[in-house]
Each structure stands twice: as structure tokens, then as C-alpha cells.
Amino acid sequence: MNSVATIDVTSDHLYDTGFPWGEFDRLSKESPVHWYQQPGYEPFWLVTRHEDISFVSRNTEFFSHQQRIGVETPDEIEPWEMERERRSALYGHAPDHPAGLGLMDAPVHNQVRQAMYPCFTPKATAARQERFFELSTRYVEEFVKLLDENGTADVAHGLAGRLPLAAIFELLGVPEEDWDELFASHKDTASAFHKDYADENGEEAMQRFMRAMGHLDQYFSELVRARMAEGGGEGTDVLSRLVRATVQDKPLEFHDMSYQLFNLVQAGNGTTRNAITGGIEALLKHPDQLQKLIDDPALLDSAVDEIIRYTSIAITLVRTCVKDTEIRGQKIRKGESVALFFPAANRDEAVFDDPYTFDITRKPNRHIAFGGNGAHRCIGASLAREELKAMFRALLPVLPTLELHGEPRQMVLRMLILEYVRLPVRRKAN
């Protein structure tokens, strides 16, 4: 057997049909805190065990979020660096200015998060369940119509992407008449990373990416300006709360609010859309579990958590060590990067019985698919759960009539998330 030193978990082809579980398992068992060096990547510590990822997530005095969040190749870094440079020139701040919660450290992170959090509490998101179900029902009906007209349809982009964006837009106070235009622009922000997103007229992916980013940036900038002119008023949406917020005894700058909105849209859509897609795939591949859910819809809560664990869409987050420490006997030195591999942790045999079994009745389900259990746990965790519940409620009458058609296609975006390029389905034969 080859040494674990030869394992290359950053190789794109490993993710074409899912996660490289064999490689993750070997690392978890033989080298759970592993010094990873491969051509094209700055070396980093690769952490795969549930307990260790939780330790890094909780101990922010040792691990900073501000320097970087992803494991990236130079090709993947380039478009985002260009975008950061464009923004820094436009708004007059340093290129490394933290553009969103994921890149902030305390105390700024805590104060910005607290300003937005009332919109993301379990109570607040549960109150939106019927609205999400209404939207989901509409999107499912439109998808079924498309499916019946064409004989096949793609779940990944024909269905799963609509609700997550709509939910975020409502939280931000975006008028519904603008949603379709923003849906299209958001899809194009993935174009720089994969040839499968090339459009019909051959436009360079990078140009399309920059155009889409520019459009989204302009739209949300105008939304921020309008809300600032109102002073936030009595609005209960995310943006109104940010306008009224003070961080380190000062109002937030315009660009900081713009960045928060943009990142909520990007992060809130990508993970949830792909979890919906992966959940549909999992249920169609496990008809016994689908039948359990049909027979007992009360299992929806535990089914959603199992879908989130089983799909583990968020792959990595990177932290920078700011004070020498130690994990499992490995000395982590100041300045070194630590990459947390969440899918591996969500298959940790020390935490989950039969971790590779898809079981919608699984309890307890201590997954860490939302980024660990520390201060940076995903602010939208409850929101994502409510979206998945609404979508699968709407899909339950339809799923038994569907089957997978052709091979799913997946890719990795900056080693941050597993992206479904396509998941084609069709009606079952009578």
C-alpha cells in the first residue's frame, strides 16, 4: 500500500463522481493531522477527524479566519484576486480587507454577526416555513412542466437553485420582480471554474464571471445606498439591521454592508442548492428511505439533517494558526494553514454508527456540515434546514415518479464546496 504522503485530495478528478472516501478514511485512520504538500498548493495541515475539527473551530484564539478560507490553486485564486483588487480600488480600502463574515475575526465578527442574527434564529426561520413551502411548490410545478415537455430535466439548475436564492432575497428585502435577473447572474459566477459552464457563443469564462460579479455588485450596492438613505428605518430585514448597526462604536461603512449582502447570496445559495440536489439523488438511490419518508412525513426533520450530513456539501475551510499549539501530537506553528475537511468528519466512525449508511431516522446526528461548532458556525444553518424541509415537502408527491437519467456530474469549487454541474432525471416508465 502506498504511503499516505502520496494521497492527493486536491486532485479535481477525484470529485467527478463524489468524494474520495477511501483517501479520507486512510488519512483519518493513519494521519488525521496530516502535513499536506502537493504541487500548485501552499502546504497546509489537513485535518479529518470530528473531534479535531471541532477543536480548531472553537479555539479562535489559536486560529484566525481573516487570512484565507480556502485551499486554492493559482488558477482558482486569480479571478477572486482580480475581484478583490477591483473592489479595493473602488472603495479605497486594502485588498485584504475582510469581505464578509467568513473572513472576520473577533470582535468585529461577533458584532456584525449579532446585527444580522435576529433574521436567522430558529424561531425567525421557522416562521417562514409556509412561505418557503409556497415558493417550493411553485418551483416544483414549473420543473415538472419542463420535465414533461422535454422528457428529462436537470435538478441541479432547473430546480434546486431557485428557493435558496429566493429565501436570501426575501431576507435582504430584494423586490421579487428582480429575482429572475439575479438568478441568471448568480449562475454565471461559477463560470470561471469549469468548462461545463461555457455558454453557446463561446464567450471566455473569465469575462462572463467578471461581468456577472460586476452586475451583482452593482445591484447590491444600489440596494445598500437606497437603504442607507432611509437610515434603516424600522425595517426588520438584514440590510436594515446592518444600516442601524454599530461595530466598534461606529456605523458600518457602505462597502462592508455591500460585502455582507454579496456573501450571504453567494454562500446561502451554493451550499443549500447542492444539498437539495444531493438529497434528491440520495433519496432516488435509496428508495427504502424515500418510502419511509412518504409513509411518515414526521421524519422530515431527521431526514433533512441526514441529507445535510450525507451530502456534506461544504468541503473545507482554512484557518491560519496565530499562536503555536498542538493537535494529536502534531505541533502547529504560527503562520501555518490548517484545512478542515468536513466530509471526512461526517463519516467519522467514532461519532457515527454505520457512517456510510443513508438513514433518515439517524439520531443523534452530530454532523458538522455547517462549519464546525465554534463562533463561525454558519449563520444560515437554521435557514438552510427550513429551506430543505420546504423543498422536500413539496417534492414528496413527485419523487416516487422520478428516476435518475444518465450520470450526475460534479465538480469542486475552490475546494470549498461540492458543486453539482448536473443531475438529470426523468419520469419512471409506467
Side-chain angles (χ1 to χ4, degrees):
M1 182 179 290
N2 291 333
S3 164
V4 290
T6 65
I7 292 177
D8 183 6
V9 297
T10 53
S11 174
D12 282 351
H13 78 272
L14 285 178
Y15 297 84
D16 286 348
T17 57
F19 289 114
W21 296 117
E23 286 82 354
F24 286 167
D25 280 350
R26 283 195 60 205
L27 286 165
S28 294
K29 292 172 182 176
E30 300 177 33
S31 185
V33 182
H34 180 74
W35 185 243
Y36 187 83
Q37 291 182 278
Q38 293 290 342
Y41 290 89
E42 180 183 339
F44 57 86
W45 290 100
L46 194 163
V47 181
T48 49
R49 297 289 290 273
H50 191 286
E51 178 184 0
D52 303 331
I53 288 177
S54 295
F55 171 81
V56 174
S57 299
R58 290 193 305 266
N59 287 280
T60 54
E61 69 271 27
F62 290 102
F63 301 100
S64 169
H65 296 238
Q66 191 160 334
Q67 285 79 359
R68 59 187 296 207
I69 60 171
V71 174
E72 301 158 316
T73 68
D75 287 345
E76 290 171 326
I77 292 173
E78 183 182 2
W80 293 99
E81 288 299 314
M82 290 174 61
E83 177 63 13
R84 291 177 74 171
E85 289 173 6
R86 183 188 71 82
R87 289 180 178 186
S88 67
L90 180 64
Y91 298 126
H93 60 65
D96 62 353
H97 183 80
L101 277 180
L103 286 162
M104 289 178 172
D105 287 329
V108 173
H109 168 266
N110 302 353
Q111 294 174 21
V112 173
R113 183 185 178 100
Q114 191 60 38
M116 297 190 289
Y117 187 63
C119 294
F120 295 94
T121 65
K123 182 178 179 180
T125 55
R128 296 180 176 271
Q129 172 63 205
E130 292 308 312
R131 171 57 172 161
F132 292 164
F133 180 60
E134 173 194 337
L135 290 169
S136 297
T137 301
R138 181 199 310 173
Y139 298 146
V140 169
E141 288 173 352
E142 292 172 358
F143 180 76
V144 167
K145 181 179 179 181
L146 180 68
L147 176 67
D148 290 340
E149 287 174 353
N150 297 329
T152 185
D154 173 31
V155 166
H157 293 286
L159 173 62
R162 302 287 295 281
L163 179 64
L165 280 175
I168 289 292
F169 291 162
E170 287 211 334
L171 288 183
L172 299 181
V174 175
E176 192 165 350
E177 59 266 25
D178 295 343
W179 289 7
D180 284 345
E181 179 185 2
L182 295 171
F183 286 156
S185 287
H186 186 274
K187 179 181 176 182
D188 280 352
T189 60
S191 66
F193 302 104
H194 205 279
K195 58 182 175 55
D196 284 359
Y197 285 114
D199 61 12
E200 293 81 0
N201 65 16
E203 180 183 14
E204 290 294 328
M206 181 69 77
Q207 293 176 348
R208 191 149 60 98
F209 169 86
M210 295 302 292
R211 186 181 66 205
M213 291 289 283
H215 175 255
L216 291 172
D217 192 37
Q218 179 181 2
Y219 182 89
F220 289 112
S221 293
E222 290 173 358
L223 192 67
V224 172
R225 288 191 178 96
R227 206 62 54 83
M228 288 180 73
E230 300 166 359
E234 300 296 322
T236 58
D237 59 274
V238 172
L239 181 51
S240 295
R241 294 177 184 278
L242 286 173
V243 170
R244 296 194 300 267
T246 56
V247 175
Q248 294 187 303
D249 299 322
K250 296 178 181 179
L252 282 170
E253 297 283 352
F254 160 79
H255 56 263
D256 285 318
M257 286 185 276
S258 180
Y259 294 163
Q260 296 305 328
L261 266 62
F262 189 87
N263 279 277
L264 285 172
V265 171
Q266 292 292 90
N269 175 65
T271 49
T272 309
R273 172 173 59 80
N274 286 293
I276 290 171
T277 306
I280 292 171
E281 182 184 24
L283 287 168
L284 293 181
K285 285 184 172 180
H286 298 85
D288 61 319
Q289 299 299 302
L290 175 56
Q291 191 59 51
K292 281 185 182 180
L293 188 55
I294 292 168
D295 293 342
D296 185 5
L299 291 173
L300 190 57
D301 283 345
S302 62
V304 162
D305 258 328
E306 180 66 348
I307 286 169
I308 292 168
R309 181 197 75 89
Y310 192 77
T311 59
S312 286
I313 295 302
I315 304 173
T316 64
L317 286 176
V318 173
R319 302 295 177 240
T320 303
C321 184
V322 293
K323 186 189 300 183
D324 290 358
T325 187
E326 185 174 299
I327 307 175
R328 285 190 194 273
Q330 298 285 7
K331 295 189 181 299
I332 315 296
R333 292 177 171 81
K334 181 179 178 179
E336 293 178 338
S337 297
V338 178
L340 313 178
F341 273 67
F342 301 111
N346 284 331
R347 295 294 193 278
D348 192 332
E349 293 179 348
V351 178
F352 303 100
D353 294 331
D354 300 318
Y356 285 95
T357 298
F358 179 62
D359 177 8
I360 68 166
T361 67
R362 184 182 296 276
K363 286 187 179 180
N365 194 337
R366 294 172 47 223
H367 68 75
I368 50 175
F370 290 117
N373 300 314
H376 275 262
R377 185 175 185 271
C378 176
I379 192 173
S382 294
L383 178 66
R385 283 192 174 97
E386 293 299 332
E387 291 173 43
L388 264 72
K389 283 169 57 178
M391 180 56 70
F392 283 100
R393 276 178 65 194
L395 277 168
L396 268 185
V398 176
L399 283 177
T401 73
L402 303 181
E403 63 183 6
L404 299 175
H405 177 58
E407 290 299 316
R409 181 77 170 92
Q410 297 166 316
M411 59 179 275
V412 175
L413 287 179
R414 306 172 67 209
M415 291 302 297
L416 289 173
I417 67 170
L418 185 71
E419 165 92 357
Y420 276 85
V421 176
R422 61 177 177 269
L423 183 71
V425 298
R426 66 183 177 189
R427 293 282 198 178
K428 288 181 180 177
N430 291 330

